[in-house]
Amino acid sequence: MRIPSWLFIVGVIVFVIGTALCSGVSYLAARQAAIDLGESGIELVSFTDFLRAQPTPLLPTATPYSLPTVTPRPGATLAPTTSPPTATVDVLAAYEWNDPRRFNILLMGIDQRRGETGTFRTDTMMIISVDPVRKTVGMLSIPRDLWVQIPGYQPSRINTANDIGDRDGYPGGGPALAARTVTENLGIDVDKYIRVNFDVFTTVVDLVAPSGVEVCPTQAIDDPTYPDAGYGFIHVSFPAGCQTLDATHLLQYARTRHTQDPTLTAPRASRK
């Protein structure tokens, strides 16, 4: 069967026009999708820019240090020395984060004193949600006495999940059971966890805020029965108003539950 030349030419023209129309529609659709994603906070880059943005291996850097302070014995003297220059350490300088996905961290604080061993409940539970695209962080504090279903166990307070998981050898330990408990009861996926005790708390404060942290209590705090490291009591107090606290006093401020207003004082029986 022979096709007339004019019909062949018409077919070619129709094919070219159809291809151009499809290309134009595809371009407009892709452009609009990129605009919508950009307005929602997701940034699209070219493949070349993507390759350029990939992290390069970080070389180890020397950690600056300062010489220890020497106290002479009575009657002794020290030869004059020249103090080395003070270096400022940026603890986050060697870290980069290039994953645009939001992630959630379960932060848990346990009542573990120095030298103690065993399993512990979580006196503090918080969800830290980080959005790398918008560069925002959200925080949700979970009441430690929240009554929930512990997966595989009887219902109990949510702060017991870590203790049960460590006690019974749950896969992943107490943090894994605590994270699963949060997910199944609150519908929040947990990607990472951080578990700290009293020593870790003071160490982190000394590292990131060596000059102290400002707090501004609206009520004066006076606690004559603050629990010390030996299961005894000491007297701690903080006046109302803004003040800068070092790591030790900041831990006391975080743990005390007594104010000079009796209506704001927690029962002593609930303290460990």
Side-chain angles (χ1 to χ4, degrees):
M1 176 180 179
R2 299 184 62 184
I3 301 176
S5 59
W6 64 269
L7 183 60
F8 175 79
I9 294 174
V10 171
V12 170
I13 294 175
V14 171
F15 175 80
V16 171
I17 294 176
T19 302
L21 289 175
C22 291
S23 300
V25 171
S26 300
Y27 169 78
L28 293 176
R31 181 175 180 274
Q32 185 60 43
I35 293 175
D36 294 340
L37 290 174
E39 292 177 347
S40 66
I42 300 177
E43 182 181 2
L44 298 179
V45 298
S46 65
F47 183 73
T48 301
D49 292 337
F50 172 78
L51 292 179
R52 291 174 179 173
Q54 298 310 299
T56 56
L58 296 175
L59 296 177
T61 57
T63 302
Y65 68 94
S66 58
L67 295 177
T69 301
V70 179
T71 302
R73 296 188 301 271
T77 59
L78 293 177
T81 58
T82 302
S83 299
T86 301
T88 301
V89 180
D90 184 356
V91 295
L92 300 179
Y95 293 89
E96 294 183 4
W97 191 271
N98 297 306
D99 191 338
R101 294 173 295 181
R102 177 189 291 271
F103 61 96
N104 300 320
I105 303 171
L106 175 60
L107 175 61
M108 297 175 288
I110 59 177
D111 188 3
Q112 181 186 23
R113 295 163 173 81
R114 180 172 299 180
E116 279 188 326
T117 59
T119 61
F120 302 90
R121 298 181 180 184
T122 50
D123 283 350
T124 301
M125 298 185 72
M126 297 180 182
I127 295 293
I128 313 298
S129 184
V130 182
D131 187 342
V133 174
R134 294 179 174 84
K135 297 182 178 180
T136 58
V137 176
M139 181 181 296
L140 173 66
S141 181
I142 303 175
R144 68 175 192 168
D145 293 331
L146 184 65
W147 194 261
V148 296
Q149 176 66 53
I150 308 294
Y153 295 89
Q154 295 295 324
S156 182
R157 293 183 299 174
I158 196 169
N159 72 329
T160 63
N162 179 77
D163 176 64
I164 294 172
D166 282 342
R167 182 196 67 193
D168 294 352
Y170 185 85
L177 183 57
R180 183 180 173 188
T181 301
V182 169
T183 299
E184 294 195 5
N185 286 274
L186 303 181
I188 301 175
D189 292 330
V190 176
D191 302 293
K192 306 287 183 180
Y193 78 88
I194 300 174
R195 185 170 63 178
V196 302
N197 58 17
F198 297 155
D199 282 346
V200 174
F201 180 95
T202 55
T203 299
V204 171
V205 173
D206 284 335
L207 181 64
V208 301
S211 299
V213 177
E214 184 181 57
V215 298
C216 299
T218 57
Q219 294 279 344
I221 297 173
D222 186 74
D223 187 354
T225 57
Y226 178 86
D228 63 10
Y231 294 95
F233 299 101
I234 60 175
H235 192 157
V236 300
S237 61
F238 303 96
C242 295
Q243 54 206 281
T244 300
L245 304 179
D246 60 16
T248 300
H249 291 92
L250 191 64
L251 177 62
Q252 295 174 355
Y253 177 80
R255 295 185 63 207
T256 184
R257 304 174 194 173
H258 289 255
T259 68
Q260 292 184 352
D261 183 350
T263 64
L264 301 178
T265 300
R268 298 182 185 179
S270 64
R271 301 177 60 169
K272 180 178 178 181

